[in-house]
Amino acid sequence: MSKQTLGNKSVLYPYPVTILGANVNGKANFMALGFVGIVNTNPGMIALGVNRNHHTNKGIFENKTFSINISSQDMLEVTDYVGLTSGEKIDKSEIFDVFYGKVKTAPMIKDCPLTIECKVIKTLDLGGADDIIIGEIIESYCDEEFLTKGNPDIEKMKPAVFSMYENRYFGIGEYLGKGWSMGKEYKSEK
Ligand SMILES: Cc1cc2nc3c(=O)[nH]c(=O)nc-3n(C[C@H](O)[C@H](O)[C@H](O)COP(=O)(O)O)c2cc1C
């Protein structure tokens, strides 16, 4: 074994490939987002790390709402595009067909298989480059074709994952086994 040290790098791989949406001055804006994860259940909460210079943040602070849209493998080009361009300079409001849900001000992308609307419950300034934003999930929306027994089915949704320092997108791999179940067969070999 020859472990190399990498230092303080954001290498919690793989990143999910999502699109963050917010209304800035009444106009939908979207950006690619990998710093995102579930941080609570009952109620479900999502935490984001969003560089404080981004345009999207203005809308999140303005309305206290945002959306997370799970991208799919066939949406990678447009996902990358909204990660390369800033709403500060380019109007991204017409790129996607958008719908609104319960919180009214979080634009969601119709073509994404799964979308989640959130209400901001806390923002943190930890002294780094990002605004840390925690939102409570108010509602989530999934097209019927991506559901199995009422739950989002990732084999049907075909989401992608991302690695930041090499900037590479990948699909998800094959099904490997059942959670909260495979471990029952485990026997230590030590
Ligand atoms: C795949 C991918 C993931 C990204 N993830 C993040 C992220 O987690 N946080 C962040 O602040 N910026 C992230 N970015 C960069 C923003 O999407 C990008 O700077 C965008 O242009 C900001 O748009 P805005 O200024 O309209 O808000 C990512 C970009 C890509 C391509």
Side-chain angles (χ1 to χ4, degrees), residues 17 29-36 49-51 53-57 79-80 82-88 92 130 162 169:
V17 177
N29 192 68
F30 297 96
M31 58 166 265
L33 181 83
F35 286 25
V36 51
V50 194
N51 187 290
N53 297 321
H54 291 342
H55 191 63
T56 311
N57 306 35
T79 305
D80 201 58
V82 298
L84 287 166
T85 49
S86 176
E88 198 71 49
K92 296 189 257 184
D130 292 357
F162 184 67
Y169 295 104

Side-chain angles (χ1 to χ4, degrees), residues 73-126:
Q73 290 167 26
D74 53 17
M75 291 182 72
L76 283 182
E77 263 183 32
V78 69
T79 305
D80 201 58
Y81 177 77
V82 298
L84 287 166
T85 49
S86 176
E88 198 71 49
K89 295 203 171 118
I90 285 178
D91 182 357
K92 296 189 257 184
S93 65
E94 302 289 333
I95 295 173
F96 301 107
D97 284 336
V98 160
F99 71 102
Y100 289 88
K102 294 182 179 166
V103 305
K104 309 284 188 213
T105 49
M108 289 177 280
I109 301 170
K110 281 187 188 164
D111 280 343
C112 285
L114 177 63
T115 62
I116 302 165
E117 56 174 340
C118 294
K119 207 164 88 182
V120 173
I121 54 161
K122 197 159 197 104
T123 57
L124 298 169
D125 179 351
L126 302 180

